[in-house]
Amino acid sequence: MELNNWMDFLNIFFFVFAATLFLIYLATAGLSIMEVNKHLKKSRSFDYRMMLSFNRLPSVSIIAPAYNEEMTIIENIKCLLALQYLDYEIIIVNDGSKDNSLAKIIEHFNLTKVERAYELSVACAPIRGIYQSVNQAYSNLLVIDKENGGKADALNAGINVSKKDLFLAIDVDCIIEPDAILKMVKPFIESNEHVVVASGGVIRVANSCEVVDGKIVKVNYPTNFWAKFQVMEYFRAFTLGRMAWSRLNGLLIISGAFGMFDRRRVIKVGGYDKTTVGEDLELVVRLRRYMHEVEKKKYRVAFIPDPLCWTEVPESYKILSRQRNRWTRGAIDTIRKHKRMFFNPTYGITGMASYPYWVIFEWLAPVIELAGFLFLSYLVLIGGVNSRILILMLLFVMAFSVLFSTIALFIEAYTYNKYRGVKYMLQAYLFILLEMVVYQPANMLFALSGNYDFFFTKNKKGWGNMTRTGFAQKKQTN
Amino acid sequence: MRTIAIYAEYWVVRLLYLLLVLVLVYGCYCYSQPNFTIGGHILHNEFYNDNVALPMWLYYLEYSIFVLVILGGLMLLITIYYALEKKRKEKIFRININRDMDYLLAELYREGGLTEEDIRRKSFELRKLMKNDFAREHLTGILRLIHRQTSGKARMDTELMMEALYCEGFIRRYLRSPYYRHKKIALNLIAEFRLQGYEKQVMKLARQKRDTLLHSDALAVLSRLNMREILLKLIEKKVTLSLWDVNVFIKNIEQDKVRNIPYAELLSTDNGGMVLLGIMLARLHGRKEFKQEMRRFTLHKNSTIKEEAVMALAAFVETQEDFEYLQGVYGLATEKAREEIIKAFKSCPDRERAMRFLEWITVNEPLIHKLNALQVILTMDVNRVIALQKREDPMIKMACAQVLDINI
């Protein structure tokens, strides 16, 4: 094939890729707005507390793996003990911490070692002991002490010890809204036609927020440079991305920091996969496969657009890069494991839309973007680009990106309006403009390094050191 | 007339959006032409390049950028305006609600209370303020809040006040409105004050299948009205109930302590949701005369109905024959139902038979049922638990250890 033909082919390829992405983004914006509107209609005048007097409510275990969390573990557990729900227990899994996490919890909550029976329904590292409180006020608190095995392993231990209908997997240092369990349980008991196998909620950035006694009392826009970008990113990802996929019933991921699952079905699929760093994505994909291949029932993975969980995001370039590198490796691992779903109609919308989307527009996108950039640079060098067209194309992409992010910002103001004030809005807008030249390229680099590490180095499975600074806790004064 | 005005507003807004889209599309076409016509006048397109023949798509691209930039800027302004306006409105709303609630509460709880004449006079004053639907929404909303939070004479007085406001037209208008928000306000008022005369309209909303949200809301309202008649009507109209709706019905029935339930009619219908409601209510209210029907339902194709039927039988168990029947259906029962069966054996008259059954469960069933069975055995004979602990099976040992642990 002649050089011109190759160039034409690449031109068309990149154009089709960009045009498809553009159309997908337009579609997700439209679908999300419809879904958010529908949810707001439902929830604006709905008192979730009425569910507390329902006859048939599923029981819930909150499973929170903890590793070296002695600084904040007590406050975090107190926050969990104050959630609004009747039949729930908290299972803290001390995953072989090297600090005094366990000793602190035992002392503070009057725990004693108990002979709690459990089945090894899913594989996990040996459990050294199970602790329960002798104080009735903490009767729904259980602590599992086990050998270190990683987050997935710790969650599996929690699943083994739990005897409840559902479990809520959280990061122990997340701040959960008081009515989070009620909202997450609602889809499980609402639907007549579909079985709900998992539900997820929106996660917001808690950096710089005022936290008192484990509760967010004032939402502030982050002061950290990198955290500011992530606020918008989380808005877009949750509000525009996941809402749209949820509407299509094609949602492939429930966040590992906050997700509720049907415990029996998770056991049936073998629990969390300890061999991957993207255990959250991998579990949802496996559950979907199970529902298509084994149970063959109509099912849903639900998503609640309410901000139910607040988490600390990385504030340094180094930690952020580790996190995104891990996410990329996790995604690739999952995609490889379940490759038979790719454009396979057996798996419905998952096989025909969500999975191919993840392969092409999540995994391969950074590689294609890099290739596109290199190709464009080559064309510029050889004078093969009409400068007017190039500038117009770039302007188009920039204008669309800005509009897309502004729509996400508008939906946030329209729905929950957590960031109040012109100052925050303008800051967010400034960072929307900066994103294209700072954050997007950085994200692309992180994803590329994730690809490189996965395929060419031995670093396929590591988490890296995810240092967190903890929330700025204020003591409540009475 | 006011209903027509609501519909007019609804459709005009949508037509304006459509018009905007058409204008944008026409603008795109005009941008790519050297000249264009508006209202009979020919105008020259200043953006058109008369010297170089550029491809059409380039004009479309330029136009798109132009539109995107304007939309982006507009979106930002609307976002800021909306956020500030929302904040301001919330503040005013809170102030107004608090002020008006304080005023009404002060009147309701004043020394000596309100006489009927006072209520009539107050309502007359309030009616004069209700010049538009916004005012009606606000006032009825406050009365609803007060009604929820008060009891005794104050609560009755709010009901009289509500009656004296003559809001029937407003409520009917809102039930017919195309806006969900209006329907919701009307439904909330009907539910809170148990307003009569709207059953037909609410039943119509409950029967429609297009909007499942409205369907559930309407059912929730019906569950607050004349329960027996409503249930019979729902059976007659074959209205489907989800598990959620069933929960709402039960919650309201228990809250209002309603007991004149048509159990027989509920249990004999084909409608799965109604049957489930009937079974759950029969179990809650201890209606043991329906035992035979429950036995029939243990073979139902719907697993939730089957489960509830078994749980009802476990709650109704009295004679040895009942226990034997329960033992017979144990194998078909779900996990939850098995739990109830095991607990029911605590009161089995034939102790030895019960022990054998519970020991069988301890040896053969998964851990969760082992634990339940051992809990029951423990209450009957602790030595049996100690004996079971000596078995080789580590799971049985672990379960016995948990049951014997006084800290759990």
Side-chain angles (χ1 to χ4, degrees):
Chain A
M1 227 174 170
E2 291 176 20
L3 184 63
N4 276 347
N5 286 343
W6 273 112
M7 282 172 50
D8 286 341
F9 169 76
L10 286 173
N11 262 325
I12 292 167
F13 173 78
F14 288 122
F15 176 77
V16 167
F17 180 84
T20 312
L21 194 57
F22 165 70
L23 289 169
I24 288 173
Y25 281 168
L26 259 185
T28 53
L31 287 169
S32 299
I33 289 167
M34 282 157 63
E35 192 67 6
V36 168
N37 217 26
K38 179 178 158 192
H39 177 82
L40 280 182
K41 257 171 63 168
K42 260 192 210 179
S43 62
R44 258 202 177 131
S45 54
F46 183 78
D47 185 359
Y48 282 89
R49 287 170 301 175
M50 87 165 187
M51 286 169 63
L52 293 171
S53 47
F54 273 13
N55 198 251
R56 269 184 84 101
L57 267 188
S59 50
V60 175
S61 290
I62 300 178
I63 304 176
Y67 181 73
N68 292 350
E69 302 276 353
E70 70 171 326
M71 296 298 292
T72 55
I73 188 80
I74 304 297
E75 292 302 321
N76 294 335
I77 294 175
K78 279 186 187 170
C79 167
L80 295 175
L81 285 165
L83 295 176
Q84 292 168 5
Y85 202 71
L86 288 176
D87 188 0
Y88 82 102
E89 65 183 359
I90 301 158
I91 301 178
I92 305 292
V93 186
N94 179 46
D95 192 32
S97 297
K98 293 186 169 62
D99 64 3
N100 285 328
S101 300
L102 182 63
K104 269 193 153 179
I105 303 171
I106 289 173
E107 195 202 325
H108 190 93
F109 294 103
N110 298 330
L111 300 181
T112 184
K113 201 167 185 178
V114 292
E115 298 290 337
R116 176 144 166 150
Y118 60 92
E119 270 176 305
L120 276 175
S121 309
V122 291
C124 70
I127 290 176
R128 297 193 280 233
I130 298 174
Y131 297 80
Q132 198 165 340
S133 181
V134 295
N135 186 337
Q136 272 294 101
Y138 311 127
S139 59
N140 62 338
L141 173 64
L142 272 177
V143 176
I144 300 172
D145 179 35
K146 64 179 276 291
E147 288 174 18
N148 180 260
K151 185 177 172 185
D153 190 81
L155 286 166
N156 282 345
I159 290 169
N160 285 333
V161 170
S162 162
K163 292 175 183 56
K164 303 291 187 185
D165 300 317
L166 308 172
F167 74 88
L168 176 64
I170 63 167
D171 283 350
V172 75
D173 55 358
C174 283
I175 294 174
I176 315 283
E177 294 283 327
D179 57 358
I181 303 182
L182 288 168
K183 288 181 176 176
M184 294 284 271
V185 160
K186 192 167 179 271
F188 286 90
I189 59 173
E190 224 178 7
S191 178
N192 233 8
E193 291 159 12
H194 293 89
V195 167
V196 173
V197 299
S199 72
V202 168
I203 297 182
R204 288 290 181 91
V205 172
N207 301 49
S208 306
C209 292
E210 280 177 33
V211 179
V212 173
D213 290 343
K215 290 190 193 65
I216 300 264
V217 294
K218 187 162 188 260
V219 176
N220 292 322
Y221 204 69
T223 51
N224 174 268
F225 180 74
W226 292 105
K228 285 185 212 266
F229 285 118
Q230 290 171 81
V231 170
M232 275 318 305
E233 189 186 22
Y234 275 53
F235 278 169
R236 275 198 312 269
F238 285 100
T239 313
L240 292 182
R242 294 188 191 190
M243 283 312 296
W245 282 113
S246 173
R247 189 174 173 94
L248 296 172
N249 195 13
L251 186 62
L252 265 196
I253 183 164
I254 298 283
S255 185
F258 188 71
M260 187 173 271
F261 298 87
D262 181 327
R263 193 178 68 88
R264 286 179 194 88
R265 284 197 171 90
V266 168
I267 288 173
K268 282 186 182 153
V269 302
Y272 284 90
D273 184 349
K274 297 187 288 178
T275 63
T276 178
V277 288
E279 71 283 336
D280 42 6
L281 167 66
E282 202 279 331
L283 178 64
V284 176
V285 174
R286 199 152 19 98
L287 273 169
R288 282 188 171 274
R289 274 189 73 170
Y290 169 79
M291 293 306 291
H292 282 286
E293 290 172 2
V294 180
E295 285 199 31
K296 296 184 186 173
K297 279 184 193 162
K298 275 191 190 175
Y299 75 98
R300 266 189 72 215
V301 173
F303 189 77
I304 323 291
D306 294 352
L308 301 177
C309 173
W310 298 78
T311 191
E312 192 189 330
V313 298
E315 287 189 337
S316 74
Y317 180 89
K318 202 169 162 188
I319 309 284
L320 180 63
S321 72
R322 273 189 210 141
Q323 184 193 62
R324 299 311 162 99
N325 181 301
R326 176 170 55 80
W327 288 4
T328 303
R329 285 184 281 119
I332 298 169
D333 207 7
T334 303
I335 285 166
R336 277 194 353 164
K337 280 188 169 135
H338 300 284
K339 54 182 178 287
R340 62 171 290 156
M341 293 177 89
F342 190 74
F343 278 123
N344 187 337
T346 313
Y347 301 101
I349 190 99
T350 314
M352 297 304 288
S354 339
Y355 193 87
Y357 172 82
W358 266 83
V359 171
I360 300 166
F361 298 105
E362 295 285 341
W363 171 31
L364 293 176
V367 177
I368 295 172
E369 280 167 26
L370 177 68
F373 178 73
L374 292 171
F375 179 62
L376 186 64
S377 308
Y378 168 73
L379 287 178
V380 168
L381 279 171
I382 65 168
V385 172
N386 181 315
S387 54
R388 180 179 178 163
I389 293 175
L390 177 62
I391 289 168
L392 285 175
M393 289 287 201
L394 285 173
L395 282 175
F396 179 82
V397 168
M398 284 165 66
F400 182 76
S401 298
V402 168
L403 177 63
F404 193 71
S405 297
T406 318
I407 290 173
L409 196 61
F410 171 72
I411 293 177
E412 145 62 15
Y414 177 70
T415 53
Y416 304 102
N417 203 20
K418 295 282 188 188
Y419 296 97
R420 297 177 177 224
V422 181
K423 198 173 69 170
Y424 297 136
M425 296 286 164
L426 292 174
Q427 266 196 73
Y429 197 71
L430 173 66
F431 274 79
I432 289 171
L433 297 171
L434 280 176
E435 221 178 337
M436 286 171 285
V437 292
V438 175
Y439 195 64
Q440 303 283 29
N443 256 331
M444 192 182 80
L445 279 172
F446 303 150
L448 287 169
S449 81
N451 271 276
Y452 179 80
D453 281 348
F454 186 88
F455 288 108
F456 301 111
T457 71
K458 289 194 180 122
N459 183 24
K460 289 186 196 325
K461 312 290 178 198
W463 269 62
N465 187 7
M466 300 298 301
T467 317
R468 284 177 163 151
T469 55
F471 300 115
Q473 299 269 0
K474 283 187 186 177
K475 282 287 167 202
Q476 193 169 37
T477 52
N478 291 322
Chain B
M1 274 305 293
R2 288 198 186 116
T3 312
I4 294 172
I6 293 172
Y7 272 91
E9 181 199 323
Y10 181 82
W11 285 112
V12 161
V13 166
R14 275 145 185 81
L15 281 169
L16 281 173
Y17 283 133
L18 185 62
L19 199 61
L20 181 67
V21 169
L22 290 172
V23 164
L24 284 174
V25 169
Y26 183 65
C28 182
Y29 167 74
C30 292
Y31 190 84
S32 62
Q33 304 298 314
N35 304 299
F36 55 90
T37 315
I38 292 180
H41 299 285
I42 299 174
L43 301 164
H44 177 63
N45 181 1
E46 297 298 333
F47 298 101
Y48 192 82
N49 193 327
D50 292 317
N51 301 320
V52 177
L54 295 172
M56 201 72 92
W57 65 266
L58 207 58
Y59 287 107
Y60 295 154
L61 187 63
E62 281 184 2
Y63 181 78
S64 304
I65 294 166
F66 181 65
V67 167
L68 286 172
V69 167
I70 301 239
L71 277 178
L74 264 176
M75 197 52 114
L76 176 67
L77 292 172
I78 291 169
T79 306
I80 294 174
Y81 170 76
Y82 192 86
L84 292 176
E85 189 61 13
K86 194 171 173 182
K87 197 172 158 186
R88 190 183 70 85
K89 272 187 178 161
E90 274 171 14
K91 194 174 169 187
I92 292 173
F93 182 74
R94 259 197 321 271
I95 292 171
N96 286 345
I97 288 273
N98 287 340
R99 180 200 62 208
D100 296 338
M101 268 193 75
D102 287 346
Y103 168 72
L104 277 173
L105 281 169
E107 289 293 315
L108 286 167
Y109 282 103
R110 73 175 187 205
E111 213 173 306
L114 289 173
T115 62
E116 271 192 40
E117 182 53 39
D118 290 331
I119 292 171
R120 257 199 302 275
R121 202 169 19 88
K122 270 279 160 275
S123 304
F124 180 73
E125 283 168 22
L126 290 173
R127 275 206 310 277
K128 282 200 287 186
L129 296 171
M130 290 178 10
K131 290 187 169 57
N132 53 44
D133 280 345
F134 176 76
R136 287 185 195 95
E137 271 184 41
H138 177 73
L139 273 166
T140 53
I142 289 177
L143 281 177
R144 191 177 140 246
L145 277 174
I146 294 175
H147 189 261
R148 269 168 80 172
Q149 293 168 30
T150 53
S151 59
K153 186 170 184 314
R155 194 176 155 102
M156 275 165 49
D157 287 345
T158 44
E159 285 170 15
L160 291 170
M161 234 184 253
M162 181 70 196
E163 206 181 302
L165 283 178
Y166 301 121
C167 290
E168 293 85 8
F170 160 66
I171 292 172
R172 284 196 200 285
R173 190 162 56 251
Y174 268 32
L175 280 175
R176 280 195 297 266
S177 166
Y179 294 111
Y180 172 78
R181 194 182 75 84
H182 288 175
K183 287 185 169 69
K184 186 76 181 164
I185 288 170
L187 288 172
N188 284 343
L189 287 172
I190 295 168
E192 186 63 39
F193 292 101
R194 317 279 179 105
L195 300 174
Q196 303 295 326
Y198 303 98
E199 289 86 356
K200 217 170 154 185
Q201 269 180 289
V202 177
M203 182 68 76
K204 200 173 160 193
L205 293 176
R207 288 180 65 196
Q208 59 83 35
K209 293 188 174 106
R210 207 166 50 92
D211 189 337
T212 51
L213 181 59
L214 202 51
H215 161 85
S216 285
D217 288 340
L219 281 172
V221 171
L222 289 172
S223 70
R224 301 296 310 276
L225 303 178
N226 188 336
M227 187 56 70
R228 189 180 173 82
E229 276 179 32
I230 292 294
L231 283 175
L232 289 170
K233 237 188 198 102
L234 289 174
I235 294 168
E236 183 201 319
K237 304 281 182 196
K238 296 186 183 5
V239 175
T240 48
L241 297 188
S242 66
L243 181 57
W244 176 267
D245 299 325
V246 168
N247 269 307
V248 169
F249 263 86
I250 292 176
K251 175 197 148 309
N252 288 332
I253 286 169
E254 292 305 290
Q255 190 179 299
D256 299 336
K257 293 184 179 36
V258 177
R259 287 296 177 264
N260 59 338
I261 308 289
Y263 300 98
E265 287 84 350
L266 285 170
L267 294 172
S268 57
T269 173
D270 296 330
N271 187 326
M274 291 295 179
V275 166
L276 184 63
L277 179 63
I279 296 173
M280 288 170 81
L281 287 170
R283 178 164 73 97
L284 275 170
H285 300 159
R287 302 302 294 255
K288 295 183 182 175
E289 65 268 31
F290 296 106
K291 237 188 260 185
Q292 286 309 315
E293 280 83 353
M294 298 303 167
R295 288 190 180 190
R296 193 165 46 89
F297 288 127
T298 58
L299 302 167
H300 201 277
K301 59 180 189 293
N302 182 309
S303 59
T304 314
I305 289 175
K306 220 164 41 177
E307 184 179 89
E308 284 294 332
V310 172
M311 283 161 63
L313 284 173
F316 292 164
V317 73
E318 287 168 311
T319 63
Q320 185 58 36
E321 199 243 329
D322 290 337
F323 281 102
E324 282 167 21
Y325 187 87
L326 269 187
Q327 203 171 332
V329 297
Y330 179 85
L332 302 168
T334 61
E335 204 176 281
K336 222 180 190 78
R338 287 186 189 189
E339 226 175 282
E340 296 301 315
I341 292 174
I342 293 168
K343 284 178 192 164
F345 267 80
K346 201 165 154 181
S347 51
C348 180
D350 186 343
R351 241 176 95 100
E352 262 318 302
R353 193 193 174 106
M355 277 294 186
R356 279 200 302 276
F357 177 55
L358 292 168
E359 281 179 4
W360 177 86
I361 292 172
T362 307
V363 170
N364 295 294
E365 286 288 279
L367 178 64
I368 185 88
H369 301 313
K370 284 188 197 332
L371 288 166
N372 289 325
L374 283 166
Q375 294 278 11
V376 176
I377 297 174
L378 186 72
T379 61
M380 292 157 85
D381 185 355
V382 63
N383 293 318
R384 292 291 258 265
V385 177
I386 294 167
L388 281 164
Q389 197 174 22
K390 295 188 171 95
R391 282 188 171 241
E392 294 292 324
D393 188 335
M395 216 32 73
I396 298 176
K397 278 184 173 353
M398 218 193 306
C400 292
Q402 176 174 328
V403 158
L404 291 169
D405 188 339
I406 55 165
N407 288 314
I408 296 180

